[in-house]
Amino acid sequence: MGQSKFAASHRTLTLANGDSAAYYSLPALAELGFGDPTRLPYSVKVLLESALRHQDHAALEPHHVEALLAWGRGDPDAEVPFIPGRVILQDFTGVPCVVDLAALRSAMAVAGKDPSKIEPLVPVDLVIDHSVQVDFAGTTQALGKNVDLEFERNLERYEFLRWGQAAFDTLSIIPPSVGIVHQVNLEHFARGVLRGKDGVLYPDSLVGTDSHTTMINGLGIVGWGVGGIEAEACMLGQPIYIKMPQVVGVRLTGALREGVTATDLTLTLVQMLRKFGVVEKFVEFFGPGLDALPLADRATIANMAPEYGATIGFFPVDVEALKYLKNTGRPPEVLDEVERYYRAQGMFRTSDSPDPQFTDVLELDMGTVEPSLAGPKRPHDRVALSRVKESFLAALSTPLDKDGYGLPADQLGASAPIAGTSDTLHHGSVTIAAITSCTNTSNPSVMVGAGLVAQKAVARGLSMPAYVKTSLAPGSRVVNEYLAKAGLLEPLNALRFNIVGYGCTTCIGNSGPLDEPVVEAINASGLVVAAVLSGNRNFEGRVSPHTRANYLASPPLVVAYALAGRVDIDFEREPIGTGSDGQGVYLRDIWPSGAEVAQAMAAASDPALYQQEYANVAQSNPEWNAIAADTSSAVYNWREDSTYIQQPPFFEQFPPQPSAIAPVRDARALLMLGDFVTTDHISPAGNIAAGTPAAQYLLEHGVQKKDWNSYGSRRGNDRVMTRGTFANIRLKNKLVAPKEGGWTQYLPSGEALSVYDAAMRYRQDGTPLIVLAGKLYGAGSSRDWAAKGTLLLGVRAVLAESFERIHRSNLIGMGVLPLRFCAGETAESLGIQGDEVFSLPDLGDQLKPGQTLKLSIKTADGATREVPVVAGIDTPIEVEYYRHGGILNYVLRQFMAAA
């Protein structure tokens, strides 16, 4: 900290073993007369400590500390730089990060600079969890077969990551078949307190290239999802810049009733907070209810912060956090360090702690929560379990523009036999039932609950309909161990909920194929069939191209709906099936009591299980260890024949100085989209469909259909990903309505082309492009290729009513300008049809955050009008990133200048 005015806040903490450690004291700020942080939200205290500790960083100044001390009273638009302690990656978003780091090294080498200067400055952990797919399910061989296919499909990617593991000193990689990044983070990576190279203690904090990084907030650790572009900059020493956060406090009281799960509580909070409006805000939980809320339940709530729209969903460190760290095998010295540090900082919550001050306060009595699902199209559309049948049947005939399926009356009773079986599918038949996603598989109570439902169902003689594709994909191998110890794996296997992999599967679209006769029956009658999954995302087209209705549910309810084989069931009045005694079996007959769950959960609290599973975890997969890779060079040897890894074009012919910001002239709309267009719509992660530009590219390069893999697995190849941008089969582009999918109108001729082919035509014409959209453009996963692909298609600007936080940042990070309609205005209210010619004549080097710009709109008859739009650039540093053509360009120029 040197000669900082805050240098006297440097203090020493004595630990239980007699050692001492330095730290920067927040209470000392009050003693020194700078301001009292006592009543600040706990999450803001973490930002404050970071600003205090980094006063010797070029981006941090004393006024940042002062602004955070004045939180709630000072400038609400103040810019806050935050330097997280570490970065986590999953492989779908992590591979392009490592590709970009490799490309930065190549650019340094071309410029005659030392490529090894490109090295992460903070610890980076990458977990390979997104590549396993459910090709095989329902058998004891499923896990082994899926893993074999994963390695076969992804060998090129894994060879590249093996190079990265050796080339970058601060990058650690967890191999496949260990678990899901957020659960591994919770159970293994997180320490609560970090120690710098100078020995200074500070709060564990992070950013991650996945929106559900927020799961770690349940352990009292500040962390959120960012785009891969921001994460790379963070690795290379750049702060994350955010506006002074508004913090919404949620006061929890009471306790969950018998039979109500953490999933039900989470879905209730998602609906409540989404309705209130917490987009780009911090949410912090407080109140007496925390004393009755286990940490695993907190982590489930925190995991779904993106679904309620918040940047974080934070729970402060308390005795429950210490208990979790102990039960998951952290050593005693870590527990001591965490407790002593947070108590010394006034950041350790107790039942007697004064409530922090918040921007707004909401309250929820947890005793009012009822069993729930969310769906059938969005995670914040909660439906009480008692109303699922009613709401699904109503949705069938509800118009498409009202979030229904728009079926005419004569199709409501449609059905189709499944060839070769005696089964018949109807609207609402469950064809996928998946216990998946770290959201719930990290929570022993609901996992044990699912096992007990299965155990009771098997005991009553219930069986699973053959057309239901069932799967169990735990977020860590610990789950397998405690389920086995509790005697619950066997009944799950008996119902075909066999383990299919340790990683993200159905929740991210890696649900694998349905049996062909099932697909034929769905297609034959245009059936709206359902998936029920214990995940966090259920956007149409994400889970499977064949399940138009997708419901999020707790693991026990996933088992229940799988047994029923349909979602149009009233569990209170209708039996779930017929038992071996010929009598109807109801859900209440197989639902476990709280005491039964608690008894079975004892196995999940054995620290030895966690210590055993995470010992030498980086070397725990023999197949990974056996991969041969060139690890001798600091610069990657790019292979022209690779269809997985290609050198991206971002730094080709890289000028040492940025060009001036230029106006946009005579642009065309590449697409005209509606509300809630997600990153899944913009850059799908799932299977590559036949007949698409990406499929054609792979065929031209000798890759047969069986080896196409998914878009997510090919994010290291810009040729595939650019062709896959806006390729989602459910994308609704008003320029080609009612046609769905990756199509648009090439406006000079009016012909319908794939989005990629149209963009290439416009490029040949020298025509810049824009995208028009509605509310919450870019919602969903933090997906950097949704911005990278947009740039490489030739899009200069995206004009929307509002943006999801991460995607807006990602667009700027790639040099694409986000624009907002003025309040109350939309494309429709302005009479924009999408076939006009658009210009931004006053866009230039004087661009300011939030500046109002003129949008010139010229119609086919030559008439021109101007409307105001607002630059979606919120901070001065974002202006600089945009000026440089993106954040990586900005960082690369800094490295080149310093080398």
Short mmCIF file of all heavy atoms in Angstrom, two decimals, residues 693-738:
data_model
loop_
_atom_site.label_atom_id
_atom_site.label_comp_id
_atom_site.label_asym_id
_atom_site.label_seq_id
_atom_site.Cartn_x
_atom_site.Cartn_y
_atom_site.Cartn_z
N PRO A 693 -25.22 -23.73 -41.58
CA PRO A 693 -23.87 -23.38 -42.04
C PRO A 693 -22.76 -24.06 -41.25
O PRO A 693 -21.74 -24.45 -41.82
CB PRO A 693 -23.83 -21.86 -41.87
CG PRO A 693 -25.25 -21.42 -42.03
CD PRO A 693 -26.05 -22.52 -41.38
N ALA A 694 -22.94 -24.24 -39.95
CA ALA A 694 -21.92 -24.91 -39.14
C ALA A 694 -21.79 -26.37 -39.55
O ALA A 694 -20.67 -26.90 -39.67
CB ALA A 694 -22.26 -24.80 -37.66
N ALA A 695 -22.92 -27.01 -39.78
CA ALA A 695 -22.88 -28.41 -40.23
C ALA A 695 -22.19 -28.52 -41.59
O ALA A 695 -21.40 -29.44 -41.83
CB ALA A 695 -24.30 -28.97 -40.29
N GLN A 696 -22.50 -27.59 -42.48
CA GLN A 696 -21.88 -27.61 -43.80
C GLN A 696 -20.37 -27.44 -43.70
O GLN A 696 -19.60 -28.12 -44.39
CB GLN A 696 -22.49 -26.51 -44.67
CG GLN A 696 -22.03 -26.51 -46.12
CD GLN A 696 -22.39 -27.78 -46.85
OE1 GLN A 696 -23.46 -28.37 -46.61
NE2 GLN A 696 -21.51 -28.24 -47.74
N TYR A 697 -19.93 -26.54 -42.83
CA TYR A 697 -18.50 -26.33 -42.63
C TYR A 697 -17.83 -27.62 -42.16
O TYR A 697 -16.76 -28.01 -42.67
CB TYR A 697 -18.28 -25.22 -41.59
CG TYR A 697 -16.87 -25.12 -41.06
CD1 TYR A 697 -15.91 -24.34 -41.71
CD2 TYR A 697 -16.48 -25.80 -39.90
CE1 TYR A 697 -14.61 -24.25 -41.23
CE2 TYR A 697 -15.18 -25.71 -39.41
CZ TYR A 697 -14.25 -24.94 -40.08
OH TYR A 697 -12.97 -24.87 -39.59
N LEU A 698 -18.44 -28.31 -41.20
CA LEU A 698 -17.84 -29.54 -40.67
C LEU A 698 -17.80 -30.63 -41.74
O LEU A 698 -16.79 -31.34 -41.87
CB LEU A 698 -18.63 -30.01 -39.45
CG LEU A 698 -18.49 -29.10 -38.22
CD1 LEU A 698 -19.45 -29.52 -37.12
CD2 LEU A 698 -17.06 -29.10 -37.70
N LEU A 699 -18.86 -30.73 -42.53
CA LEU A 699 -18.86 -31.72 -43.62
C LEU A 699 -17.75 -31.42 -44.63
O LEU A 699 -17.06 -32.33 -45.10
CB LEU A 699 -20.22 -31.74 -44.32
CG LEU A 699 -21.38 -32.37 -43.53
CD1 LEU A 699 -22.70 -32.14 -44.26
CD2 LEU A 699 -21.15 -33.88 -43.33
N GLU A 700 -17.59 -30.15 -44.93
CA GLU A 700 -16.54 -29.76 -45.88
C GLU A 700 -15.15 -30.07 -45.35
O GLU A 700 -14.20 -30.22 -46.12
CB GLU A 700 -16.65 -28.26 -46.19
CG GLU A 700 -17.87 -27.90 -47.03
CD GLU A 700 -18.08 -26.39 -47.12
OE1 GLU A 700 -17.30 -25.64 -46.48
OE2 GLU A 700 -19.03 -25.97 -47.81
N HIS A 701 -15.02 -30.18 -44.03
CA HIS A 701 -13.73 -30.49 -43.42
C HIS A 701 -13.64 -31.95 -42.98
O HIS A 701 -12.81 -32.31 -42.13
CB HIS A 701 -13.46 -29.55 -42.24
CG HIS A 701 -13.10 -28.16 -42.67
ND1 HIS A 701 -14.04 -27.27 -43.15
CD2 HIS A 701 -11.91 -27.51 -42.73
CE1 HIS A 701 -13.44 -26.13 -43.46
NE2 HIS A 701 -12.15 -26.25 -43.23
N GLY A 702 -14.50 -32.77 -43.55
CA GLY A 702 -14.40 -34.21 -43.34
C GLY A 702 -14.95 -34.74 -42.04
O GLY A 702 -14.66 -35.87 -41.66
N VAL A 703 -15.76 -33.94 -41.34
CA VAL A 703 -16.34 -34.38 -40.07
C VAL A 703 -17.76 -34.90 -40.34
O VAL A 703 -18.62 -34.15 -40.80
CB VAL A 703 -16.38 -33.23 -39.05
CG1 VAL A 703 -16.94 -33.73 -37.72
CG2 VAL A 703 -14.99 -32.64 -38.86
N GLN A 704 -17.97 -36.17 -40.06
CA GLN A 704 -19.28 -36.77 -40.29
C GLN A 704 -20.25 -36.43 -39.16
O GLN A 704 -19.83 -36.06 -38.05
CB GLN A 704 -19.14 -38.29 -40.43
CG GLN A 704 -18.25 -38.71 -41.59
CD GLN A 704 -18.67 -38.08 -42.92
OE1 GLN A 704 -19.82 -38.20 -43.34
NE2 GLN A 704 -17.74 -37.38 -43.57
N LYS A 705 -21.53 -36.57 -39.43
CA LYS A 705 -22.56 -36.12 -38.51
C LYS A 705 -22.39 -36.68 -37.10
O LYS A 705 -22.57 -35.95 -36.11
CB LYS A 705 -23.94 -36.47 -39.05
CG LYS A 705 -25.09 -35.96 -38.17
CD LYS A 705 -26.45 -36.23 -38.76
CE LYS A 705 -27.56 -35.68 -37.86
NZ LYS A 705 -28.91 -35.93 -38.41
N LYS A 706 -22.03 -37.93 -36.98
CA LYS A 706 -21.91 -38.55 -35.66
C LYS A 706 -20.83 -37.88 -34.81
O LYS A 706 -20.82 -38.01 -33.58
CB LYS A 706 -21.62 -40.05 -35.79
CG LYS A 706 -20.26 -40.37 -36.38
CD LYS A 706 -20.05 -41.88 -36.50
CE LYS A 706 -18.68 -42.21 -37.09
NZ LYS A 706 -17.58 -41.80 -36.22
N ASP A 707 -19.92 -37.15 -35.47
CA ASP A 707 -18.82 -36.51 -34.76
C ASP A 707 -18.96 -34.98 -34.67
O ASP A 707 -18.02 -34.30 -34.28
CB ASP A 707 -17.49 -36.84 -35.45
CG ASP A 707 -17.19 -38.33 -35.45
OD1 ASP A 707 -17.44 -38.97 -34.41
OD2 ASP A 707 -16.74 -38.85 -36.49
N TRP A 708 -20.13 -34.46 -35.03
CA TRP A 708 -20.29 -33.00 -34.99
C TRP A 708 -20.18 -32.45 -33.58
O TRP A 708 -19.75 -31.32 -33.38
CB TRP A 708 -21.63 -32.60 -35.59
CG TRP A 708 -21.68 -32.74 -37.08
CD1 TRP A 708 -20.64 -33.04 -37.91
CD2 TRP A 708 -22.84 -32.62 -37.91
NE1 TRP A 708 -21.08 -33.12 -39.21
CE2 TRP A 708 -22.43 -32.85 -39.24
CE3 TRP A 708 -24.18 -32.33 -37.66
CZ2 TRP A 708 -23.30 -32.80 -40.31
CZ3 TRP A 708 -25.07 -32.28 -38.73
CH2 TRP A 708 -24.63 -32.50 -40.04
N ASN A 709 -20.60 -33.26 -32.58
CA ASN A 709 -20.58 -32.80 -31.20
C ASN A 709 -21.54 -31.61 -31.05
O ASN A 709 -22.52 -31.49 -31.78
CB ASN A 709 -19.15 -32.46 -30.77
CG ASN A 709 -18.90 -32.73 -29.29
OD1 ASN A 709 -19.80 -32.67 -28.47
ND2 ASN A 709 -17.66 -33.02 -28.95
N SER A 710 -21.24 -30.69 -30.15
CA SER A 710 -22.15 -29.57 -29.88
C SER A 710 -21.44 -28.26 -30.19
O SER A 710 -20.22 -28.19 -30.30
CB SER A 710 -22.58 -29.59 -28.42
OG SER A 710 -21.45 -29.38 -27.59
N TYR A 711 -22.24 -27.20 -30.29
CA TYR A 711 -21.65 -25.86 -30.44
C TYR A 711 -20.75 -25.54 -29.25
O TYR A 711 -19.66 -24.99 -29.41
CB TYR A 711 -22.74 -24.80 -30.54
CG TYR A 711 -23.42 -24.72 -31.89
CD1 TYR A 711 -24.74 -25.11 -32.06
CD2 TYR A 711 -22.73 -24.24 -33.00
CE1 TYR A 711 -25.36 -25.02 -33.29
CE2 TYR A 711 -23.35 -24.15 -34.24
CZ TYR A 711 -24.67 -24.54 -34.38
OH TYR A 711 -25.28 -24.46 -35.60
N GLY A 712 -21.22 -25.89 -28.07
CA GLY A 712 -20.45 -25.57 -26.88
C GLY A 712 -19.06 -26.18 -26.90
O GLY A 712 -18.09 -25.57 -26.44
N SER A 713 -18.96 -27.39 -27.43
CA SER A 713 -17.67 -28.06 -27.45
C SER A 713 -16.73 -27.48 -28.51
O SER A 713 -15.52 -27.71 -28.47
CB SER A 713 -17.86 -29.56 -27.72
OG SER A 713 -18.32 -29.77 -29.04
N ARG A 714 -17.27 -26.72 -29.46
CA ARG A 714 -16.45 -26.19 -30.55
C ARG A 714 -16.22 -24.68 -30.42
O ARG A 714 -15.93 -24.00 -31.40
CB ARG A 714 -17.09 -26.53 -31.90
CG ARG A 714 -17.06 -28.03 -32.18
CD ARG A 714 -17.48 -28.37 -33.60
NE ARG A 714 -17.44 -29.82 -33.83
CZ ARG A 714 -16.36 -30.49 -34.24
NH1 ARG A 714 -15.23 -29.85 -34.48
NH2 ARG A 714 -16.41 -31.80 -34.41
N ARG A 715 -16.31 -24.17 -29.20
CA ARG A 715 -16.11 -22.74 -28.99
C ARG A 715 -14.67 -22.29 -29.17
O ARG A 715 -14.39 -21.10 -29.16
CB ARG A 715 -16.61 -22.33 -27.60
CG ARG A 715 -18.13 -22.29 -27.53
CD ARG A 715 -18.60 -21.87 -26.17
NE ARG A 715 -20.05 -21.87 -26.11
CZ ARG A 715 -20.75 -21.93 -24.99
NH1 ARG A 715 -20.13 -22.00 -23.83
NH2 ARG A 715 -22.06 -21.91 -25.01
N GLY A 716 -13.76 -23.24 -29.34
CA GLY A 716 -12.39 -22.87 -29.65
C GLY A 716 -12.15 -22.64 -31.12
O GLY A 716 -11.03 -22.32 -31.52
N ASN A 717 -13.20 -22.77 -31.94
CA ASN A 717 -13.08 -22.60 -33.39
C ASN A 717 -14.05 -21.51 -33.84
O ASN A 717 -15.26 -21.73 -33.91
CB ASN A 717 -13.39 -23.92 -34.10
CG ASN A 717 -13.17 -23.83 -35.60
OD1 ASN A 717 -13.09 -22.75 -36.18
ND2 ASN A 717 -13.09 -24.99 -36.25
N ASP A 718 -13.51 -20.34 -34.17
CA ASP A 718 -14.37 -19.23 -34.56
C ASP A 718 -15.14 -19.51 -35.85
O ASP A 718 -16.21 -18.96 -36.09
CB ASP A 718 -13.54 -17.95 -34.73
CG ASP A 718 -12.49 -18.08 -35.81
OD1 ASP A 718 -11.43 -18.68 -35.55
OD2 ASP A 718 -12.71 -17.59 -36.93
N ARG A 719 -14.60 -20.40 -36.71
CA ARG A 719 -15.29 -20.70 -37.98
C ARG A 719 -16.62 -21.39 -37.73
O ARG A 719 -17.62 -21.09 -38.39
CB ARG A 719 -14.42 -21.61 -38.86
CG ARG A 719 -13.27 -20.93 -39.57
CD ARG A 719 -12.10 -20.66 -38.65
NE ARG A 719 -10.85 -20.47 -39.37
CZ ARG A 719 -9.75 -19.99 -38.83
NH1 ARG A 719 -9.74 -19.60 -37.56
NH2 ARG A 719 -8.65 -19.87 -39.52
N VAL A 720 -16.64 -22.29 -36.75
CA VAL A 720 -17.89 -22.96 -36.39
C VAL A 720 -18.81 -21.99 -35.65
O VAL A 720 -20.01 -21.89 -35.94
CB VAL A 720 -17.62 -24.20 -35.52
CG1 VAL A 720 -18.93 -24.78 -34.98
CG2 VAL A 720 -16.87 -25.26 -36.31
N MET A 721 -18.23 -21.26 -34.70
CA MET A 721 -19.07 -20.45 -33.82
C MET A 721 -19.71 -19.26 -34.53
O MET A 721 -20.84 -18.88 -34.23
CB MET A 721 -18.25 -19.98 -32.62
CG MET A 721 -17.76 -21.12 -31.73
SD MET A 721 -19.07 -22.25 -31.22
CE MET A 721 -20.10 -21.15 -30.27
N THR A 722 -18.99 -18.66 -35.48
CA THR A 722 -19.59 -17.56 -36.23
C THR A 722 -20.76 -18.07 -37.05
O THR A 722 -21.82 -17.43 -37.14
CB THR A 722 -18.55 -16.90 -37.15
OG1 THR A 722 -17.43 -16.50 -36.36
CG2 THR A 722 -19.12 -15.67 -37.84
N ARG A 723 -20.60 -19.25 -37.64
CA ARG A 723 -21.69 -19.86 -38.41
C ARG A 723 -22.86 -20.28 -37.53
O ARG A 723 -23.99 -20.38 -37.99
CB ARG A 723 -21.17 -21.07 -39.19
CG ARG A 723 -20.27 -20.69 -40.37
CD ARG A 723 -19.54 -21.90 -40.93
NE ARG A 723 -18.85 -21.58 -42.18
CZ ARG A 723 -17.66 -21.00 -42.28
NH1 ARG A 723 -17.02 -20.66 -41.16
NH2 ARG A 723 -17.13 -20.75 -43.46
N GLY A 724 -22.56 -20.52 -36.24
CA GLY A 724 -23.62 -20.93 -35.32
C GLY A 724 -24.30 -19.77 -34.61
O GLY A 724 -25.27 -19.99 -33.87
N THR A 725 -23.83 -18.56 -34.83
CA THR A 725 -24.44 -17.41 -34.16
C THR A 725 -25.84 -17.16 -34.71
O THR A 725 -26.04 -17.12 -35.93
CB THR A 725 -23.55 -16.16 -34.33
OG1 THR A 725 -22.24 -16.45 -33.85
CG2 THR A 725 -24.11 -14.98 -33.56
N PHE A 726 -26.80 -17.01 -33.81
CA PHE A 726 -28.23 -16.87 -34.12
C PHE A 726 -28.77 -18.11 -34.86
O PHE A 726 -29.68 -17.99 -35.69
CB PHE A 726 -28.49 -15.61 -34.96
CG PHE A 726 -28.16 -14.33 -34.25
CD1 PHE A 726 -27.06 -13.57 -34.62
CD2 PHE A 726 -28.94 -13.89 -33.18
CE1 PHE A 726 -26.74 -12.39 -33.96
CE2 PHE A 726 -28.63 -12.71 -32.52
CZ PHE A 726 -27.53 -11.96 -32.91
N ALA A 727 -28.24 -19.29 -34.53
CA ALA A 727 -28.66 -20.52 -35.21
C ALA A 727 -29.64 -21.35 -34.40
O ALA A 727 -29.96 -22.47 -34.78
CB ALA A 727 -27.43 -21.37 -35.55
N ASN A 728 -30.13 -20.83 -33.27
CA ASN A 728 -31.06 -21.59 -32.45
C ASN A 728 -32.34 -21.90 -33.23
O ASN A 728 -32.92 -21.03 -33.89
CB ASN A 728 -31.40 -20.79 -31.18
CG ASN A 728 -32.22 -21.58 -30.18
OD1 ASN A 728 -33.34 -21.97 -30.44
ND2 ASN A 728 -31.63 -21.79 -29.02
N ILE A 729 -32.78 -23.14 -33.13
CA ILE A 729 -33.95 -23.58 -33.93
C ILE A 729 -35.23 -22.89 -33.50
O ILE A 729 -36.22 -22.91 -34.24
CB ILE A 729 -34.13 -25.10 -33.84
CG1 ILE A 729 -34.35 -25.54 -32.38
CG2 ILE A 729 -32.95 -25.83 -34.47
CD1 ILE A 729 -34.75 -26.99 -32.23
N ARG A 730 -35.26 -22.27 -32.32
CA ARG A 730 -36.46 -21.59 -31.83
C ARG A 730 -36.37 -20.07 -31.95
O ARG A 730 -37.24 -19.35 -31.46
CB ARG A 730 -36.73 -21.97 -30.36
CG ARG A 730 -36.95 -23.45 -30.12
CD ARG A 730 -38.18 -23.95 -30.85
NE ARG A 730 -38.41 -25.37 -30.60
CZ ARG A 730 -39.23 -26.13 -31.31
NH1 ARG A 730 -39.88 -25.59 -32.33
NH2 ARG A 730 -39.37 -27.40 -31.03
N LEU A 731 -35.33 -19.56 -32.59
CA LEU A 731 -35.18 -18.11 -32.74
C LEU A 731 -36.33 -17.55 -33.58
O LEU A 731 -36.67 -18.11 -34.63
CB LEU A 731 -33.85 -17.79 -33.42
CG LEU A 731 -33.52 -16.30 -33.55
CD1 LEU A 731 -33.18 -15.71 -32.18
CD2 LEU A 731 -32.36 -16.09 -34.51
N LYS A 732 -36.92 -16.48 -33.10
CA LYS A 732 -38.03 -15.84 -33.81
C LYS A 732 -37.58 -14.47 -34.30
O LYS A 732 -37.48 -13.52 -33.53
CB LYS A 732 -39.25 -15.72 -32.88
CG LYS A 732 -39.82 -17.06 -32.42
CD LYS A 732 -40.94 -16.88 -31.41
CE LYS A 732 -41.56 -18.22 -31.00
NZ LYS A 732 -40.59 -19.07 -30.27
N ASN A 733 -37.30 -14.38 -35.59
CA ASN A 733 -36.85 -13.15 -36.24
C ASN A 733 -38.02 -12.57 -37.02
O ASN A 733 -38.54 -13.20 -37.96
CB ASN A 733 -35.67 -13.47 -37.16
CG ASN A 733 -35.18 -12.27 -37.94
OD1 ASN A 733 -35.57 -11.13 -37.67
ND2 ASN A 733 -34.34 -12.50 -38.93
N LYS A 734 -38.44 -11.37 -36.65
CA LYS A 734 -39.63 -10.78 -37.26
C LYS A 734 -39.45 -10.51 -38.75
O LYS A 734 -40.44 -10.37 -39.48
CB LYS A 734 -40.00 -9.49 -36.53
CG LYS A 734 -40.40 -9.73 -35.07
CD LYS A 734 -40.69 -8.42 -34.33
CE LYS A 734 -41.00 -8.71 -32.87
NZ LYS A 734 -41.25 -7.46 -32.09
N LEU A 735 -38.20 -10.48 -39.21
CA LEU A 735 -37.97 -10.23 -40.64
C LEU A 735 -38.39 -11.41 -41.50
O LEU A 735 -38.58 -11.25 -42.72
CB LEU A 735 -36.50 -9.90 -40.90
CG LEU A 735 -35.95 -8.63 -40.23
CD1 LEU A 735 -34.49 -8.44 -40.59
CD2 LEU A 735 -36.77 -7.41 -40.64
N VAL A 736 -38.49 -12.60 -40.89
CA VAL A 736 -38.90 -13.79 -41.67
C VAL A 736 -40.08 -14.51 -41.02
O VAL A 736 -40.32 -15.68 -41.30
CB VAL A 736 -37.72 -14.77 -41.85
CG1 VAL A 736 -36.69 -14.20 -42.81
CG2 VAL A 736 -37.07 -15.13 -40.51
N ALA A 737 -40.80 -13.83 -40.11
CA ALA A 737 -41.93 -14.46 -39.43
C ALA A 737 -42.94 -14.99 -40.46
O ALA A 737 -43.13 -14.37 -41.52
CB ALA A 737 -42.60 -13.44 -38.50
N PRO A 738 -43.56 -16.16 -40.16
CA PRO A 738 -43.50 -16.95 -38.92
C PRO A 738 -42.40 -18.02 -38.91
O PRO A 738 -42.37 -18.85 -38.01
CB PRO A 738 -44.88 -17.62 -38.90
CG PRO A 738 -45.17 -17.87 -40.36
CD PRO A 738 -44.60 -16.68 -41.09
#
